Amino acid sequence: MKILVINGPNINMLGIREKNIYGAGTYEDLLDFCRNAAEELGVEVSFFQSNHEGDLVDAIQHAYKVIDGIVINPAAYTHTSVAILDALKAVSIPAVEVHISDVSKREDFRQISYVRQYCFKTITGMGFEGYKEAMKALLSEISNGAEKQ
Ligand code: DQA
């Protein structure tokens, strides 16, 4: 099973940005964490990060017929991007929304999520661990789907 982990703007600044909110781990640490989790779960993982909305849309489109499941933290674009939602709908790949912080306890403008309308699960406030939980959720969702066929 092939999982693509997509991260949006400023996630490359982990370890530097607002450590009180996002922790001290860097983006590289996040990738290492996900690689280890993927090995433990027996899935193949690849990564994409961009600060640009259109590049995130392109990455989702390129996943069509190549990737089985998407873990997506659209970061600030969570709260603004219809284009990312539409891209997920277009490729129709099972996806889980992840946020490192607990967005439900933050500003009003973070209470809207466009991708939530598509993603079958949302995980917030678990730090890096949320990405592993998302991979687990994809594994069970996809294997359940396969059983039903
Ligand atoms: C975030 C939460 C967003 O509101 C914020 O814009 C981010 C990161 C998170 O992982 O907690 O950049 O998606």
Side-chain angles (χ1 to χ4, degrees):
M1 188 174 128
K2 288 184 182 158
I3 291 181
L4 172 62
V5 177
I6 299 178
N7 281 292
N10 301 306
I11 299 295
N12 58 319
M13 295 295 278
L14 287 176
I16 298 167
R17 72 182 294 211
E18 301 173 281
K19 288 190 210 169
N20 55 323
I21 297 174
Y22 300 111
T26 64
Y27 179 62
E28 268 310 316
D29 294 336
L30 173 62
L31 299 194
D32 283 343
F33 176 88
C34 290
R35 281 188 200 106
N36 288 336
E39 199 179 311
E40 203 182 297
L41 298 171
V43 299
E44 245 181 80
V45 71
S46 54
F47 302 97
F48 185 80
Q49 189 279 329
S50 177
N51 296 324
H52 306 280
E53 186 176 13
D55 290 346
L56 295 164
V57 169
D58 287 344
I60 294 167
Q61 290 186 6
H62 290 145
Y64 184 59
K65 291 197 169 163
V66 180
I67 293 293
D68 304 302
I70 292 176
V71 175
I72 186 160
N73 181 351
Y77 290 135
T78 307
H79 319 300
T80 61
S81 180
V82 177
I84 291 174
L85 169 64
D86 283 350
L88 289 169
K89 286 181 173 175
V91 297
S92 199
I93 298 169
V96 178
E97 174 188 7
V98 173
H99 299 285
I100 294 166
S101 66
D102 184 355
V103 278
S104 73
K105 300 212 169 78
R106 299 182 64 194
E107 301 94 326
D108 286 352
F109 64 83
R110 293 185 207 274
Q111 303 315 312
I112 288 175
S113 166
Y114 285 91
V115 297
R116 201 158 302 171
Q117 205 195 90
Y118 175 81
C119 294
F120 71 87
K121 191 179 173 84
T122 296
I123 297 165
T124 65
M126 289 183 68
F128 288 2
E129 201 61 41
Y131 289 79
K132 185 175 180 183
E133 286 304 306
M135 285 191 224
K136 279 194 209 164
L138 281 171
L139 249 181
S140 72
E141 176 81 2
I142 292 165
S143 43
N144 282 344
E147 265 167 36
K148 279 187 209 137
Q149 277 173 11

